[in-house]
Amino acid sequence: MTPSEAEAYALKVLTWMASEPDILGQFLGATGLALTDLTDAAAGSGFFLGVIDFVMQRDDWVIAAAAEIGLRPEDLQSVRIALPGGAEAHWT
């Protein structure tokens, strides 16, 4: 998977999150972003990696997001790895 493909999938995941108000609200709360900030934030380095990492916190989110964007749940890890900075995992 290329970084460009990974960003396209991550954008689809963000679109899925936008259709899930509770999840989007949690994402905005965790990031400190306002809904109006999303477009500008999406242009920033590392934003899509944050989107994927956020969704990967819960199995039910991974399963739902993957189904919505046409991937297998385990493929979200491939998306993460292909994003800039995604090859390095920093689990704390």
Side-chain angles (χ1 to χ4, degrees):
M1 179 173 302
T2 67
S4 177
E5 291 170 327
E7 285 188 9
Y9 280 120
L11 179 58
K12 290 179 181 182
V13 170
L14 180 61
T15 301
W16 167 78
M17 284 175 38
S19 73
E20 300 288 335
D22 291 341
I23 298 171
L24 182 62
Q26 290 180 50
F27 177 72
L28 295 174
T31 61
L33 294 170
L35 189 56
T36 56
D37 298 330
L38 286 180
T39 301
D40 290 338
S45 176
F47 176 77
F48 288 123
L49 182 59
V51 168
I52 297 299
D53 280 347
F54 180 79
V55 170
M56 290 179 67
Q57 292 181 87
R58 291 188 42 173
D59 290 344
D60 58 332
W61 294 351
V62 169
I63 292 166
E68 181 68 25
I69 67 171
L71 292 177
R72 298 173 303 162
E74 58 269 25
D75 291 337
L76 283 185
Q77 181 64 20
S78 298
V79 170
R80 185 193 192 285
I81 290 168
L83 289 168
E88 300 177 22
H90 298 283
W91 310 110
T92 56

